[in-house]
Amino acid sequence: MKHLICKLKTKAAMTAARTRRVLSGSRGDGYIDTAIKILIAVVLGALLLAGLYALFGETVLPTLVQRIKEMFNYAG
């Protein structure tokens, strides 16, 4: 019986040590960095697309529409 109790104590101590080592480890730190980089890339991409949409919507497209109308408005 003493042998069984000693064996259980040893196993519990080893499990506690392993758990402590796993919880104090820093193997998952790279995931947070990667997630932040992806989030920054998505936000910058959205800002770039919004800027291009505003540029094309207000500057390029009206000029293009006017040129197309002038090109097909041939009076002869």
Side-chain angles (χ1 to χ4, degrees), residues 36-49:
I36 290 173
K37 289 176 188 175
I38 290 171
L39 184 63
I40 289 172
V42 168
V43 169
L44 289 178
L47 288 173
L48 180 66
L49 285 175

Side-chain angles (χ1 to χ4, degrees), residues 53-72:
Y53 181 75
L55 175 70
F56 275 90
E58 295 175 6
T59 306
V60 176
L61 285 180
T63 308
L64 185 64
V65 169
Q66 180 184 359
R67 286 184 182 176
I68 290 173
K69 284 182 180 178
E70 289 173 358
M71 185 171 60
F72 285 105

